[in-house]
Amino acid sequence: MEALIATDRSGGPPQRAIKRLLVANRGEIAKRIIDSARELSIETFALITAGDASHALGAAHVLSIPAPATYLDISALIEIAKQHAIDSVHPGYGFLSESADFAQRMWNEAGVVVIGPGWDILRKTGDKLAAKLLARQCGVPTLPAMENPTADVEEIRRFARKIGFSVMLKAVDGGGGKGIRLVRHESELEDATKRAVAESPSRQVIVEKAAVDGFRHIEVQIVGDGSGHVRHLWERECSIQRRFQKIVEQAPSTIKDRRFVGSIIEAAMRMARHIRYLSLGTFEFLANVDQRQFYFLEVNPRLQVEHTVTECIAAVDLVKIQLEIAQGRKLADTELRNVPEDVMHTPKLHSIQLRLTAEDVQRGWTLNIGRIEGFSLPTGHRVRVDTHLNHRLTTVVGADYDSLLAKIIVTGENKPAVLSKCRRALEDTWIEGVKTNLDILRAIVSHSDFEHGLCDTLWLEKHMSNLLASGLEISRGLNIQQQTSSPLAQEKTQSLPSFSNSSSSAVLLRKNDAWALKLTPSTPGATEESHHIKITRVTRNQFPSSLKADIEYLHPNSQKPRSFTLEVDSTNASSSSITATGRRRRGDPNNPHHVLIPFPGKLVELLVDEGDEIVPGQVVCVVQQMKMELEIRASKGGRVRWVTDAEDGEDVSEGTLAAELEDSRRGGTIKPLL
């Protein structure tokens, strides 16, 4: 492949053979890239951090990095590449996958190719404003938007008044739903701007006219070889979203008017040809079928989370194609040669992807951290699962990464057949140790609106409470069926889990079990201490996940043992968060005067003071989790009697009391409703 080196690509490194590939990512996408590279006989290098290594199975080399932040440290990654004679890096999605600086510095400083379109195209497409300019140059419809990014709320206010509400605030360099806020009324603008700016890496946002009601999210998969030759692989529909984060994707779209769809695909192709696109790219649009209008949204110049449904309907391996193009292969020499080019051609298959995530849906979809104690993922004809979970290694869901556990991809001849298969696949899915969005997924694929293609980008938010109730009912029914109808029902406690995420312990703990504990301080010269614990009754044994027991405890300085109730729960919270649990006042979820922080995270800002008068729904504080800033609101109004003394930037644990209210009295300061 060395003979295929292209010397005229000033906007990116040459295309050349890949011999030693560093996968600068983690989770399911790292596993996916490693697998495809192995099939091409490419030597692979995986990165791992403490407690997060399951994605590295199969890699030829495993390199430990000191912290999750290293995935974003360009200088550190360059040094790793130099030390291990790496010639290419695959960034996956997220992290540095859209960074032009990463691609250029890796080439200039280490002679290493970053798999993707190259730094010039990244600058033209990864920045939302630059991408909009490209769309206008190609005659593709765009929504009214600011010409320059800003963090000035007054500048944003003036522009929003000019184009009219509703407007969308977007981090100019955001992604994955981060840094995006829908603002329907001017009263919401200041707080929304503050949150969007805080989630933007560059601390700047753009404002554009919102197109949400009745609009679907349609995106086109593009592949280019850098010479001006580009191909499409039809479209995907990603309208099932929560906070502008995709939950369920499908291909092709549910739009029956293929001429309308064809015009969207052609628009994406024009833009890709104009910049001589290289590698994989997704061109995203908002489309209103009734109005026959569509608007360009953005370009994701990288591999997408939802690339799987395109692979399934086109019968191609997009990661393999991406690696082949990086080595100089022309489009006609890849699996694309078997895919029709006509935009009017209707794919013969339908595919749906369901994102299974570790999130507590009943608490605002907050990340649910913990250890995966057990899992079962579906199998069967045309049921594909992309995941980094592995029964041979313990997987811990922590606060440092996103919540994605697995992608369940189901394919069939038509959507009704696929939905039937989706429902069966989700029945066969269970995860123990953390809470997941499984109930919601079950409800979505059972809803008539989804079946008949009637969902816009706000559908999930509008129907959330009903979907959650429906999903819980479906799961309860499955649990009852499992308990009564399974041929293994009598052996359930040994062989099958409950769908309610309960778990059984593999460690037998009984009355009168006892341990002598010797604690030797690491400080030189310190005295060893001997402690003694004896179990007198076990009330809950899900060890090592959790344990509750009555014990007798003998301290070295005690004359006789004392009786205690011992409760043990596994956790992956930070040490500072655990310390905060004991340091900060805990709230009572049954006390309506208590405003609790319902999930672990980092306190960004406390927005009320003692003596303030607040109203129901008012923001009391903001907590960051998974790089998103989430507002904690009061469920009732009243006078603020007490507030936490936690500092901004401090880790806070689940259940921390943010504020205590009392009934209103005269003399308090009325805070504006945020």
Side-chain angles (χ1 to χ4, degrees):
M1 299 293 287
E2 292 290 353
L4 294 174
I5 290 179
T7 59
D8 59 347
R9 294 193 62 245
S10 59
Q15 294 163 279
R16 66 182 188 186
I18 300 173
K19 296 180 180 178
R20 295 165 69 86
L21 178 70
L22 173 66
V23 181
N25 216 301
R26 59 164 299 280
E28 63 84 20
I29 196 58
K31 183 73 172 66
R32 173 77 173 84
I33 296 165
I34 290 168
D35 289 347
S36 288
R38 290 168 63 198
E39 293 169 17
L40 292 172
S41 300
I42 296 172
E43 191 174 358
T44 54
F45 293 73
L47 301 178
I48 64 170
T49 54
D52 186 59
S54 58
H55 58 272
L57 288 173
H61 308 275
V62 178
L63 308 177
S64 180
I65 55 178
T70 306
Y71 286 112
L72 292 166
D73 189 333
I74 296 176
S75 296
L77 293 175
I78 289 173
E79 285 306 309
I80 290 172
K82 289 179 178 179
Q83 290 172 13
H84 297 277
I86 301 296
D87 57 60
S88 302
V89 176
H90 199 307
Y93 55 69
F95 292 133
L96 294 169
S97 62
E98 297 186 31
S99 171
D101 289 342
F102 176 54
Q104 189 164 21
R105 284 188 59 191
M106 188 62 80
W107 174 250
N108 290 342
E109 298 177 32
V112 173
V113 174
V114 174
I115 306 300
W119 52 82
D120 183 54
I121 292 177
L122 284 171
R123 289 194 172 96
K124 292 176 180 176
T125 58
D127 180 280
K128 288 181 173 61
L129 282 177
K132 282 184 177 293
L133 176 60
L134 170 64
R136 289 195 291 268
Q137 290 172 344
C138 296
V140 177
T142 61
L143 292 160
M146 294 185 71
E147 296 290 334
N148 298 295
T150 184
D152 186 341
V153 67
E154 292 307 317
E155 184 179 355
I156 292 171
R157 191 190 310 277
R158 288 192 297 271
F159 183 79
R161 286 174 176 173
K162 178 181 177 181
I163 63 173
F165 290 89
S166 301
V167 298
M168 196 75 77
L169 307 182
K170 294 183 178 181
V172 70
D173 46 5
K178 299 178 181 67
I180 301 179
R181 293 293 187 279
L182 172 63
V183 182
R184 292 190 179 275
H185 308 288
E186 187 172 341
S187 59
E188 306 166 353
L189 187 63
E190 185 169 349
D191 186 59
T193 300
K194 195 173 188 179
R195 303 278 78 80
V197 167
E199 292 174 14
S200 167
S202 66
R203 294 295 187 265
Q204 290 191 313
V205 299
I206 62 170
V207 186
E208 68 179 13
K209 185 70 176 176
V212 285
D213 298 303
F215 280 83
R216 307 184 195 199
H217 185 119
I218 305 295
E219 59 186 37
V220 180
Q221 179 66 63
I222 292 293
V223 187
D225 63 10
S227 68
H229 294 107
V230 297
R231 291 286 305 275
H232 74 86
L233 288 170
W234 297 295
E235 83 284 3
R236 298 185 286 257
E237 182 169 347
C238 313
S239 300
I240 307 301
Q241 304 177 3
R242 178 204 55 91
R243 295 183 190 147
F244 308 105
Q245 291 179 301
K246 302 163 187 173
I247 307 296
V248 177
E249 300 98 342
Q250 56 188 315
S253 71
T254 58
I255 299 175
K256 297 179 181 179
D257 185 348
R258 293 306 298 179
R259 290 190 179 277
F260 181 53
V261 172
S263 64
I264 298 174
I265 295 175
E266 287 285 9
M269 296 278 282
R270 285 201 306 276
M271 294 177 65
R273 288 192 192 101
H274 186 77
I275 55 175
R276 299 165 67 90
Y277 197 86
L278 174 71
S279 194
L280 303 182
T282 296
F283 290 66
E284 303 194 356
F285 301 83
L286 293 171
N288 189 304
V289 180
D290 296 332
Q291 299 174 9
R292 289 187 60 81
Q293 291 180 323
F294 70 88
Y295 299 100
F296 169 75
L297 188 61
E298 64 184 17
V299 178
N300 284 311
R302 53 171 169 79
L303 187 66
Q304 288 276 91
V305 180
E306 61 272 20
H307 73 277
T308 57
V309 289
T310 296
E311 290 184 322
C312 288
I313 66 168
V316 299
D317 181 338
L318 284 174
V319 178
K320 178 182 176 183
I321 290 171
Q322 189 179 33
L323 292 170
E324 289 176 335
I325 291 173
Q327 298 180 84
R329 188 75 63 88
K330 297 301 180 184
L331 300 183
D333 298 326
T334 69
E335 293 175 343
L336 294 175
R337 61 183 174 272
N338 301 316
V339 181
E341 296 187 50
D342 185 4
V343 297
M344 296 303 297
H345 181 90
T346 303
K348 295 180 180 179
L349 298 174
H350 195 90
S351 189
I352 293 176
Q353 174 176 278
L354 307 160
R355 299 193 191 191
L356 182 63
T357 59
E359 292 176 294
D360 189 343
V361 178
Q362 297 187 68
R363 291 191 175 184
W365 293 71
T366 54
L367 176 68
N368 194 250
I369 62 176
R371 181 166 54 189
I372 304 295
E373 302 292 348
F375 65 91
S376 180
L377 296 169
T379 59
H381 181 56
R382 287 178 172 171
V383 175
R384 165 183 168 181
V385 177
D386 282 20
T387 184
H388 59 294
L389 302 184
N390 190 289
H391 291 287
R392 291 185 289 165
L393 288 177
T394 299
T395 300
V396 176
V397 178
D400 294 311
Y401 305 117
D402 66 35
S403 59
L404 185 62
L405 298 176
K407 302 184 309 195
I408 301 170
I409 308 100
V410 179
T411 307
E413 292 185 357
N414 52 58
K415 189 173 181 181
V418 174
L419 284 175
S420 179
K421 197 181 290 287
C422 281
R423 289 189 281 269
R424 190 274 299 169
L426 292 175
E427 289 177 7
D428 295 346
T429 302
W430 53 266
I431 301 284
E432 290 183 330
V434 296
K435 295 179 180 179
T436 72
N437 66 336
L438 189 53
D439 296 332
I440 281 287
L441 294 178
R442 288 171 175 159
I444 290 170
V445 299
S446 300
H447 201 286
S448 61
D449 285 355
F450 185 70
E451 180 180 356
H452 294 101
L454 302 177
C455 305
D456 63 11
T457 56
L458 295 183
W459 179 84
L460 181 60
E461 301 278 5
K462 290 177 181 176
H463 295 83
M464 186 71 74
S465 58
N466 289 337
L467 286 166
L468 180 56
S470 173
L472 290 170
E473 186 62 30
I474 292 171
S475 295
R476 276 194 292 267
L478 291 172
N479 199 24
I480 293 172
Q481 181 182 15
Q482 174 211 2
Q483 293 172 349
T484 59
S485 303
S486 169
L488 300 177
Q490 294 181 348
E491 302 176 37
K492 177 175 70 69
T493 56
Q494 286 80 31
S495 60
L496 287 175
S498 164
F499 281 89
S500 61
N501 284 338
S502 65
S503 62
S504 300
S505 175
V507 181
L508 183 62
L509 297 173
R510 295 170 294 189
K511 180 180 178 180
N512 294 325
D513 283 346
W515 297 270
L517 309 180
K518 291 186 177 181
L519 303 180
T520 304
S522 56
T523 305
T527 305
E528 178 186 275
E529 292 185 355
S530 295
H531 302 249
H532 190 269
I533 295 177
K534 178 182 179 180
I535 293 179
T536 57
R537 185 178 66 141
V538 177
T539 55
R540 183 180 72 245
N541 181 19
Q542 296 174 328
F543 190 82
S545 176
S546 65
L547 170 70
K548 185 175 182 180
D550 294 339
I551 64 168
E552 290 182 351
Y553 168 65
L554 181 63
H555 189 272
N557 299 325
S558 302
Q559 294 290 329
K560 59 182 181 179
R562 295 177 59 192
S563 296
F564 293 92
T565 296
L566 172 70
E567 290 194 58
V568 177
D569 290 290
S570 65
T571 181
N572 193 49
S574 64
S575 58
S576 55
S577 176
I578 295 172
T579 305
T581 302
R583 189 171 66 243
R584 300 298 172 203
R585 183 179 170 189
R586 308 285 292 172
D588 179 359
N590 298 314
N591 187 337
H593 291 91
H594 282 193
V595 182
L596 280 70
I597 298 173
F599 48 83
K602 191 178 296 291
L603 182 65
V604 175
E605 186 177 16
L606 187 66
L607 297 170
V608 298
D609 297 314
E610 292 179 7
D612 290 347
E613 295 281 346
I614 65 173
V615 298
Q618 184 164 334
V619 180
V620 172
C621 64
V622 178
V623 177
Q624 184 185 74
Q625 190 186 71
M626 289 195 300
K627 299 183 180 178
M628 295 193 71
E629 298 197 349
L630 307 174
E631 297 170 339
I632 309 302
R633 295 177 179 268
S635 60
K636 70 183 297 292
R639 180 178 178 272
V640 179
R641 181 172 179 267
W642 176 92
V643 296
T644 180
D645 59 354
E647 299 288 336
D648 292 354
E650 182 178 317
D651 285 314
V652 289
S653 63
E654 177 180 342
T656 297
L657 184 63
E660 183 178 11
L661 308 180
E662 61 184 5
D663 293 336
S664 297
R665 62 177 70 171
R666 293 183 180 180
T669 303
I670 299 177
K671 284 275 189 178
L673 180 62
L674 296 177

